[in-house]
Amino acid sequence: MLDGKHITLGIESSCDETAVGIVADGRELLANVISSQIDIHTKFGGVVPEIASRKHLENINRVIDAALGEAGITLDQVDLIGVTKGPGLVGALLVGVAAAKALAWTKGIPLVGVNHMHGHIASNYIEHKELEPPFMSLVVSGGHTNIIMVDDYNTCRKLGSTRDDAAGEAFDKVARVIGLGYPGGPKVDRAAKEGDRDAIPFKRVYLEKGSYDFSFSGLKTQALNYINTERQAGRPIDVNNIAASFQEAVVEVLVDKAVAAALEYGQKRIVMAGGVASNSRLRELITERAGACGIEILRPSPVLCTDNGVMIACSAYYAYRKGETSDLTLDADPALEF
Ligand code: KG4
Ligand code: ZN
Protein backbone atom coordinates (compact mmCIF):
# COMPACT_ATOMS: atom_id res chain seq x y z
CA MET A 1 0.00 0.00 0.00
CA LEU A 2 1.07 3.55 -0.63
CA ASP A 3 -0.92 6.34 1.02
CA GLY A 4 -3.84 3.93 1.41
CA LYS A 5 -3.75 2.99 -2.27
CA HIS A 6 -3.55 -0.55 -3.65
CA ILE A 7 -0.29 -1.10 -5.56
CA THR A 8 0.05 -3.47 -8.53
CA LEU A 9 3.34 -4.30 -10.24
CA GLY A 10 3.01 -5.66 -13.80
CA ILE A 11 5.66 -7.61 -15.72
CA GLU A 12 5.65 -7.93 -19.52
CA SER A 13 8.14 -10.06 -21.48
CA SER A 14 6.11 -11.64 -24.30
CA CYS A 15 8.22 -10.41 -27.20
CA ASP A 16 11.14 -7.98 -27.42
CA GLU A 17 10.52 -5.54 -24.56
CA THR A 18 11.37 -6.30 -20.95
CA ALA A 19 8.89 -4.04 -19.21
CA VAL A 20 7.66 -3.37 -15.69
CA GLY A 21 4.87 -0.99 -14.75
CA ILE A 22 3.45 0.01 -11.39
CA VAL A 23 -0.04 1.42 -10.83
CA ALA A 24 -1.96 2.67 -7.80
CA ASP A 25 -5.63 1.66 -7.45
CA GLY A 26 -5.45 0.03 -10.87
CA ARG A 27 -5.23 3.10 -13.08
CA GLU A 28 -2.83 5.67 -11.65
CA LEU A 29 0.58 5.34 -13.31
CA LEU A 30 3.49 5.35 -10.84
CA ALA A 31 6.21 3.79 -13.03
CA ASN A 32 6.68 2.63 -16.60
CA VAL A 33 10.11 1.16 -17.36
CA ILE A 34 10.66 -0.43 -20.79
CA SER A 35 13.94 -1.98 -21.85
CA SER A 36 13.67 -2.46 -25.61
CA GLN A 37 15.73 -4.98 -27.56
CA ILE A 38 14.94 -3.41 -30.93
CA ASP A 39 18.57 -2.48 -31.65
CA ILE A 40 19.71 -6.08 -31.19
CA HIS A 41 16.97 -7.64 -33.36
CA THR A 42 17.32 -4.99 -36.07
CA LYS A 43 20.59 -6.67 -37.12
CA PHE A 44 18.59 -9.82 -37.93
CA GLY A 45 15.61 -8.09 -39.58
CA GLY A 46 13.17 -9.36 -36.93
CA VAL A 47 12.86 -10.78 -33.43
CA VAL A 48 15.10 -13.82 -32.80
CA PRO A 49 13.29 -15.78 -30.04
CA GLU A 50 16.39 -17.29 -28.41
CA ILE A 51 18.14 -13.93 -28.20
CA ALA A 52 14.95 -12.33 -26.83
CA SER A 53 14.79 -14.86 -23.97
CA ARG A 54 18.42 -14.36 -23.04
CA LYS A 55 18.09 -10.58 -23.05
CA HIS A 56 14.96 -10.75 -20.88
CA LEU A 57 16.91 -12.84 -18.42
CA GLU A 58 19.75 -10.30 -18.33
CA ASN A 59 17.36 -7.36 -17.93
CA ILE A 60 14.46 -8.46 -15.79
CA ASN A 61 15.83 -7.81 -12.28
CA ARG A 62 17.29 -4.45 -13.29
CA VAL A 63 13.97 -3.38 -14.86
CA ILE A 64 12.00 -4.41 -11.75
CA ASP A 65 14.39 -2.41 -9.54
CA ALA A 66 14.21 0.59 -11.85
CA ALA A 67 10.39 0.55 -11.77
CA LEU A 68 10.32 0.35 -7.95
CA GLY A 69 12.80 3.25 -7.89
CA GLU A 70 10.69 5.31 -10.31
CA ALA A 71 7.57 4.73 -8.20
CA GLY A 72 9.52 5.52 -5.02
CA ILE A 73 8.39 2.33 -3.29
CA THR A 74 9.83 -0.96 -2.06
CA LEU A 75 8.63 -4.48 -2.82
CA ASP A 76 7.06 -4.60 0.64
CA GLN A 77 4.53 -2.02 -0.51
CA VAL A 78 3.41 -4.07 -3.54
CA ASP A 79 -0.05 -5.64 -3.01
CA LEU A 80 -0.37 -7.58 -6.27
CA ILE A 81 1.87 -8.89 -9.03
CA GLY A 82 0.55 -9.24 -12.57
CA VAL A 83 2.46 -10.96 -15.34
CA THR A 84 1.83 -11.69 -19.01
CA LYS A 85 1.18 -15.43 -19.30
CA GLY A 86 0.53 -15.39 -23.08
CA PRO A 87 0.26 -15.15 -25.99
CA GLY A 88 3.85 -14.61 -27.09
CA LEU A 89 7.23 -16.29 -27.50
CA VAL A 90 7.39 -19.14 -25.00
CA GLY A 91 10.99 -18.60 -23.86
CA ALA A 92 10.42 -14.87 -23.50
CA LEU A 93 7.17 -15.35 -21.55
CA LEU A 94 8.81 -17.86 -19.21
CA VAL A 95 11.33 -15.28 -17.99
CA GLY A 96 8.58 -12.90 -16.86
CA VAL A 97 6.46 -15.68 -15.38
CA ALA A 98 9.41 -17.10 -13.41
CA ALA A 99 10.36 -13.65 -12.08
CA ALA A 100 6.76 -12.92 -11.06
CA LYS A 101 6.40 -16.25 -9.29
CA ALA A 102 9.70 -15.75 -7.45
CA LEU A 103 8.61 -12.33 -6.20
CA ALA A 104 5.13 -13.55 -5.26
CA TRP A 105 6.49 -16.53 -3.35
CA THR A 106 9.33 -14.81 -1.51
CA LYS A 107 7.21 -11.81 -0.49
CA GLY A 108 3.84 -13.58 -0.10
CA ILE A 109 2.20 -11.28 -2.65
CA PRO A 110 -0.87 -12.45 -4.65
CA LEU A 111 -0.19 -13.23 -8.31
CA VAL A 112 -2.35 -12.92 -11.43
CA GLY A 113 -1.43 -14.23 -14.90
CA VAL A 114 -2.66 -11.80 -17.56
CA ASN A 115 -3.63 -12.24 -21.20
CA HIS A 116 -1.36 -9.86 -23.13
CA MET A 117 -4.22 -8.80 -25.43
CA HIS A 118 -6.49 -7.92 -22.48
CA GLY A 119 -3.53 -5.88 -21.28
CA HIS A 120 -3.39 -3.90 -24.52
CA ILE A 121 -7.04 -2.91 -24.10
CA ALA A 122 -6.46 -2.05 -20.41
CA SER A 123 -3.73 0.45 -21.37
CA ASN A 124 -6.62 2.79 -22.17
CA TYR A 125 -7.87 2.83 -18.56
CA ILE A 126 -4.68 4.59 -17.49
CA GLU A 127 -5.11 7.69 -19.62
CA HIS A 128 -8.91 7.81 -19.92
CA LYS A 129 -9.97 8.00 -16.30
CA GLU A 130 -13.69 8.04 -17.16
CA LEU A 131 -13.54 4.98 -19.43
CA GLU A 132 -15.58 1.99 -18.32
CA PRO A 133 -16.87 -0.99 -20.30
CA PRO A 134 -18.89 -1.71 -22.38
CA PHE A 135 -17.16 -0.51 -25.56
CA MET A 136 -15.94 -1.78 -28.93
CA SER A 137 -12.20 -2.30 -29.28
CA LEU A 138 -9.84 -2.52 -32.24
CA VAL A 139 -6.69 -4.34 -31.15
CA VAL A 140 -3.93 -4.18 -33.74
CA SER A 141 -0.44 -5.37 -32.91
CA GLY A 142 2.47 -7.29 -34.39
CA GLY A 143 0.85 -10.62 -33.61
CA HIS A 144 -2.87 -9.86 -33.54
CA THR A 145 -5.64 -8.03 -35.34
CA ASN A 146 -8.92 -8.25 -33.49
CA ILE A 147 -12.27 -6.58 -33.16
CA ILE A 148 -13.37 -7.15 -29.60
CA MET A 149 -16.59 -6.37 -27.80
CA VAL A 150 -15.52 -5.52 -24.25
CA ASP A 151 -18.56 -6.28 -22.06
CA ASP A 152 -16.89 -5.62 -18.73
CA TYR A 153 -13.38 -5.38 -17.28
CA ASN A 154 -12.89 -9.14 -17.46
CA THR A 155 -15.19 -10.26 -20.27
CA CYS A 156 -14.30 -9.85 -23.93
CA ARG A 157 -16.03 -11.28 -27.00
CA LYS A 158 -13.91 -11.74 -30.12
CA LEU A 159 -15.96 -10.68 -33.14
CA GLY A 160 -13.20 -10.97 -35.69
CA SER A 161 -9.51 -11.69 -36.13
CA THR A 162 -6.94 -12.10 -38.85
CA ARG A 163 -6.99 -15.29 -40.89
CA ASP A 164 -3.31 -14.94 -41.77
CA ASP A 165 -0.93 -12.03 -41.08
CA ALA A 166 -1.60 -9.53 -38.31
CA ALA A 167 -1.71 -5.86 -39.33
CA GLY A 168 1.66 -5.12 -37.69
CA GLU A 169 3.18 -8.19 -39.32
CA ALA A 170 1.99 -6.92 -42.73
CA PHE A 171 3.62 -3.54 -42.02
CA ASP A 172 6.85 -5.28 -41.02
CA LYS A 173 6.88 -7.57 -44.09
CA VAL A 174 6.16 -4.83 -46.61
CA ALA A 175 8.75 -2.58 -44.95
CA ARG A 176 11.30 -5.35 -45.51
CA VAL A 177 10.28 -5.78 -49.15
CA ILE A 178 10.71 -2.07 -49.87
CA GLY A 179 13.96 -1.86 -47.94
CA LEU A 180 12.83 0.16 -44.92
CA GLY A 181 13.94 -2.49 -42.44
CA TYR A 182 12.76 -3.45 -38.97
CA PRO A 183 10.61 -2.48 -37.13
CA GLY A 184 8.55 -1.72 -40.20
CA GLY A 185 5.43 -0.07 -38.80
CA PRO A 186 6.88 3.25 -37.67
CA LYS A 187 9.12 3.44 -40.76
CA VAL A 188 6.22 2.88 -43.18
CA ASP A 189 4.20 5.44 -41.22
CA ARG A 190 6.99 8.01 -41.64
CA ALA A 191 7.65 7.26 -45.34
CA ALA A 192 3.91 7.34 -46.11
CA LYS A 193 3.73 10.98 -45.01
CA GLU A 194 5.84 11.86 -48.08
CA GLY A 195 3.91 9.57 -50.47
CA ASP A 196 0.69 9.50 -52.46
CA ARG A 197 -1.83 7.08 -50.96
CA ASP A 198 -3.65 6.74 -54.30
CA ALA A 199 -0.50 5.96 -56.31
CA ILE A 200 -0.89 2.15 -56.31
CA PRO A 201 -4.28 0.38 -56.18
CA PHE A 202 -3.54 -2.22 -53.49
CA LYS A 203 -6.56 -4.47 -52.90
CA ARG A 204 -8.85 -3.86 -49.91
CA VAL A 205 -9.68 -7.36 -48.65
CA TYR A 206 -13.05 -7.37 -46.85
CA LEU A 207 -13.77 -11.15 -47.01
CA GLU A 208 -17.44 -12.25 -46.77
CA LYS A 209 -20.15 -9.66 -46.27
CA GLY A 210 -20.64 -8.91 -42.58
CA SER A 211 -17.39 -10.62 -41.55
CA TYR A 212 -15.16 -8.92 -38.99
CA ASP A 213 -12.18 -11.07 -39.95
CA PHE A 214 -9.14 -9.75 -41.79
CA SER A 215 -6.62 -11.01 -44.33
CA PHE A 216 -3.42 -9.11 -44.99
CA SER A 217 -1.09 -11.81 -46.30
CA GLY A 218 -1.70 -10.96 -49.97
CA LEU A 219 -0.39 -7.42 -49.58
CA LYS A 220 3.25 -8.46 -49.37
CA THR A 221 2.90 -10.38 -52.65
CA GLN A 222 1.17 -7.42 -54.24
CA ALA A 223 4.00 -5.12 -53.17
CA LEU A 224 6.58 -7.59 -54.52
CA ASN A 225 4.74 -7.95 -57.83
CA TYR A 226 4.46 -4.20 -58.16
CA ILE A 227 8.17 -3.71 -57.54
CA ASN A 228 9.12 -6.43 -60.05
CA THR A 229 6.82 -5.00 -62.73
CA GLU A 230 8.23 -1.51 -62.26
CA ARG A 231 11.82 -2.76 -62.33
CA GLN A 232 11.22 -4.78 -65.48
CA ALA A 233 9.70 -1.71 -67.12
CA GLY A 234 12.80 0.28 -66.09
CA ARG A 235 10.79 2.70 -63.95
CA PRO A 236 12.18 3.99 -60.63
CA ILE A 237 10.60 2.65 -57.42
CA ASP A 238 9.01 5.29 -55.20
CA VAL A 239 9.22 3.85 -51.68
CA ASN A 240 7.11 6.63 -50.21
CA ASN A 241 4.26 5.97 -52.64
CA ILE A 242 4.34 2.23 -51.93
CA ALA A 243 4.32 2.92 -48.18
CA ALA A 244 1.42 5.37 -48.44
CA SER A 245 -0.67 3.17 -50.76
CA PHE A 246 -0.06 0.00 -48.74
CA GLN A 247 -0.81 1.76 -45.46
CA GLU A 248 -4.08 3.11 -46.86
CA ALA A 249 -5.16 -0.39 -47.94
CA VAL A 250 -4.60 -1.77 -44.43
CA VAL A 251 -6.00 1.20 -42.56
CA GLU A 252 -9.20 1.54 -44.61
CA VAL A 253 -10.21 -2.06 -43.94
CA LEU A 254 -9.40 -1.78 -40.22
CA VAL A 255 -11.43 1.40 -39.91
CA ASP A 256 -14.43 0.22 -41.94
CA LYS A 257 -14.76 -3.01 -39.97
CA ALA A 258 -14.28 -1.38 -36.56
CA VAL A 259 -16.90 1.27 -37.32
CA ALA A 260 -19.34 -1.34 -38.71
CA ALA A 261 -18.91 -3.43 -35.54
CA ALA A 262 -19.53 -0.43 -33.27
CA LEU A 263 -22.69 0.42 -35.23
CA GLU A 264 -23.98 -3.18 -35.23
CA TYR A 265 -23.44 -3.55 -31.48
CA GLY A 266 -24.79 -0.08 -30.65
CA GLN A 267 -21.49 1.17 -29.20
CA LYS A 268 -20.70 4.88 -29.12
CA ARG A 269 -16.97 4.38 -28.48
CA ILE A 270 -14.17 2.54 -30.22
CA VAL A 271 -11.13 1.98 -28.04
CA MET A 272 -7.89 1.36 -29.95
CA ALA A 273 -5.01 -0.71 -28.63
CA GLY A 274 -1.74 -2.36 -29.71
CA GLY A 275 1.38 -1.16 -31.50
CA VAL A 276 -0.36 -0.35 -34.79
CA ALA A 277 -2.82 1.90 -32.93
CA SER A 278 -0.01 4.46 -32.90
CA ASN A 279 -0.12 4.64 -36.72
CA SER A 280 -0.82 8.26 -37.62
CA ARG A 281 -3.00 7.54 -40.68
CA LEU A 282 -5.07 4.96 -38.78
CA ARG A 283 -5.70 7.51 -36.05
CA GLU A 284 -6.67 10.15 -38.58
CA LEU A 285 -9.01 8.03 -40.71
CA ILE A 286 -10.78 6.28 -37.84
CA THR A 287 -11.43 9.59 -36.11
CA GLU A 288 -12.90 10.97 -39.35
CA ARG A 289 -15.11 7.99 -40.27
CA ALA A 290 -16.23 7.14 -36.74
CA GLY A 291 -16.86 10.82 -36.04
CA ALA A 292 -19.23 10.97 -39.03
CA CYS A 293 -21.31 8.23 -37.34
CA GLY A 294 -21.26 9.89 -33.90
CA ILE A 295 -18.71 7.42 -32.52
CA GLU A 296 -15.91 8.61 -30.24
CA ILE A 297 -12.37 7.24 -30.62
CA LEU A 298 -10.16 6.63 -27.60
CA ARG A 299 -6.55 5.43 -27.74
CA PRO A 300 -3.51 5.38 -25.53
CA SER A 301 -0.59 7.68 -26.22
CA PRO A 302 2.08 5.90 -28.36
CA VAL A 303 4.22 4.84 -25.38
CA LEU A 304 1.28 2.84 -23.98
CA CYS A 305 0.23 1.46 -27.41
CA THR A 306 3.32 -0.74 -27.69
CA ASP A 307 4.18 -3.41 -25.12
CA ASN A 308 4.52 -2.16 -21.55
CA GLY A 309 4.11 -3.39 -17.97
CA VAL A 310 1.56 -0.75 -16.95
CA MET A 311 -1.17 -2.33 -19.08
CA ILE A 312 -0.44 -5.71 -17.47
CA ALA A 313 -0.63 -4.20 -13.97
CA CYS A 314 -3.97 -2.54 -14.79
CA SER A 315 -5.46 -5.72 -16.26
CA ALA A 316 -4.22 -7.77 -13.28
CA TYR A 317 -5.84 -5.32 -10.87
CA TYR A 318 -9.30 -5.76 -12.42
CA ALA A 319 -8.94 -9.55 -12.60
CA TYR A 320 -7.90 -9.61 -8.93
CA ARG A 321 -10.84 -7.42 -7.93
CA LYS A 322 -13.11 -10.00 -9.53
CA GLY A 323 -11.48 -12.68 -7.35
CA GLU A 324 -9.05 -14.15 -9.84
CA THR A 325 -5.58 -15.24 -8.69
CA SER A 326 -2.92 -17.58 -10.04
CA ASP A 327 -0.89 -20.00 -7.96
CA LEU A 328 2.73 -21.07 -8.39
CA THR A 329 1.76 -23.58 -11.08
CA LEU A 330 1.19 -20.59 -13.39
CA ASP A 331 2.81 -21.37 -16.74
CA ALA A 332 3.45 -19.52 -19.98
CA ASP A 333 0.80 -20.16 -22.65
CA PRO A 334 2.27 -19.03 -25.98
CA ALA A 335 -0.95 -19.61 -27.95
CA LEU A 336 -3.37 -18.18 -25.36
CA GLU A 337 -6.62 -17.08 -27.05
CA PHE A 338 -8.29 -13.74 -26.34
O1 KG4 B 1 1.71 -4.30 -29.62
P1 KG4 B 1 3.12 -4.38 -30.07
O2 KG4 B 1 4.14 -3.48 -29.45
O3 KG4 B 1 3.68 -5.82 -29.94
C1 KG4 B 1 2.90 -6.95 -30.11
O4 KG4 B 1 2.19 -7.33 -29.14
O5 KG4 B 1 2.94 -7.47 -31.25
O6 KG4 B 1 3.08 -4.13 -31.66
C2 KG4 B 1 4.21 -4.14 -32.45
C3 KG4 B 1 3.78 -3.92 -33.89
C4 KG4 B 1 4.94 -4.08 -34.89
O7 KG4 B 1 4.51 -4.92 -35.94
C5 KG4 B 1 5.18 -2.66 -35.38
O8 KG4 B 1 5.67 -2.61 -36.69
C6 KG4 B 1 3.78 -2.07 -35.27
O9 KG4 B 1 3.26 -2.60 -34.07
N1 KG4 B 1 3.79 -0.61 -35.19
C7 KG4 B 1 3.24 0.19 -36.14
C8 KG4 B 1 3.52 1.52 -35.74
N2 KG4 B 1 4.21 1.49 -34.56
C9 KG4 B 1 4.36 0.17 -34.24
N3 KG4 B 1 2.58 -0.11 -37.26
C10 KG4 B 1 2.18 0.91 -38.02
N4 KG4 B 1 2.41 2.21 -37.73
C11 KG4 B 1 3.06 2.57 -36.61
N5 KG4 B 1 3.28 3.85 -36.32
ZN1 ZN C 1 1.68 -6.40 -27.65
Side-chain angles (χ1 to χ4, degrees):
M1 295 288 257
L2 177 68
D3 302 331
K5 290 180 181 166
H6 182 279
I7 302 296
T8 309
L9 180 145
I11 299 177
E12 155 61 35
S13 69
S14 67
C15 190
D16 59 347
E17 338 267 7
T18 320
V20 175
I22 299 176
V23 296
D25 286 344
R27 315 173 72 127
E28 184 191 333
L29 195 158
L30 300 183
N32 181 21
V33 178
I34 302 171
S35 169
S36 173
Q37 306 175 2
I38 280 182
D39 291 348
I40 304 156
H41 298 291
T42 297
K43 289 183 213 140
F44 303 97
V47 178
V48 183
E50 182 57 30
I51 295 178
S53 318
R54 281 194 225 166
K55 286 290 157 193
H56 284 309
L57 210 48
E58 282 171 22
N59 290 338
I60 189 82
N61 288 335
R62 189 176 52 77
V63 175
I64 293 169
D65 285 344
L68 290 168
E70 195 172 298
I73 60 168
T74 66
L75 255 186
D76 293 318
Q77 288 168 289
V78 174
D79 301 295
L80 175 67
I81 292 175
V83 62
T84 303
K85 63 179 173 187
L89 302 169
V90 66
L93 288 165
L94 278 170
V95 176
V97 168
K101 288 202 282 194
L103 291 180
W105 185 69
T106 49
K107 289 288 180 183
I109 306 169
L111 174 69
V112 176
V114 172
N115 184 316
H116 180 82
M117 306 313 293
H118 290 200
H120 271 301
I121 294 173
S123 61
N124 283 279
Y125 298 134
I126 306 294
E127 291 174 310
H128 305 296
K129 299 292 177 207
E130 77 300 342
L131 178 64
E132 281 179 24
F135 52 78
M136 190 56 68
S137 186
L138 173 66
V139 188
V140 271
S141 71
H144 293 80
T145 309
N146 293 117
I147 293 184
I148 304 290
M149 179 64 221
V150 180
D151 292 306
D152 65 47
Y153 284 108
N154 304 293
T155 317
C156 295
R157 271 182 288 158
K158 186 162 76 180
L159 306 183
S161 57
T162 183
R163 294 190 186 165
D164 39 60
D165 290 352
E169 200 177 351
F171 269 95
D172 294 336
K173 282 185 178 172
V174 167
R176 206 173 305 145
V177 165
I178 59 179
L180 288 176
Y182 170 87
K187 291 187 174 169
V188 170
D189 194 349
R190 225 169 297 131
K193 289 197 169 73
E194 311 298 323
D196 172 6
R197 60 177 87 111
D198 298 318
I200 306 149
F202 284 121
K203 279 201 201 86
R204 274 64 168 157
V205 180
Y206 285 92
L207 301 168
E208 312 82 44
K209 197 171 175 338
S211 169
Y212 294 123
D213 282 351
F214 301 93
S215 170
F216 295 119
S217 67
L219 278 168
K220 189 184 100 170
T221 319
Q222 278 191 57
L224 269 175
N225 288 344
Y226 171 80
I227 290 169
N228 289 338
T229 310
E230 294 302 287
R231 285 213 176 110
Q232 275 162 14
R235 288 188 287 265
I237 305 292
D238 188 324
V239 168
N240 295 342
N241 280 352
I242 302 178
S245 302
F246 155 77
Q247 178 174 273
E248 199 67 10
V250 174
V251 162
E252 265 207 327
V253 177
L254 291 173
V255 169
D256 286 345
K257 294 207 178 212
V259 171
L263 290 173
E264 183 182 339
Y265 285 78
Q267 298 302 313
K268 287 283 171 209
R269 288 167 307 183
I270 298 174
V271 170
M272 295 166 70
V276 185
S278 60
N279 180 269
S280 58
R281 179 60 185 153
L282 175 58
R283 287 174 170 235
E284 185 179 66
L285 194 68
I286 200 167
T287 306
E288 193 183 302
R289 294 208 178 156
C293 304
I295 297 167
E296 184 191 6
I297 298 296
L298 298 176
R299 63 223 160 183
S301 53
V303 67
L304 291 182
C305 279
T306 43
D307 293 347
N308 64 83
V310 179
M311 67 187 201
I312 303 304
C314 178
S315 190
Y317 172 80
Y318 283 106
Y320 183 67
R321 267 197 13 185
K322 202 187 79 181
E324 212 181 283
T325 50
S326 306
D327 60 25
L328 294 178
T329 62
L330 177 68
D331 204 356
D333 185 350
L336 185 64
E337 282 287 326
F338 224 104

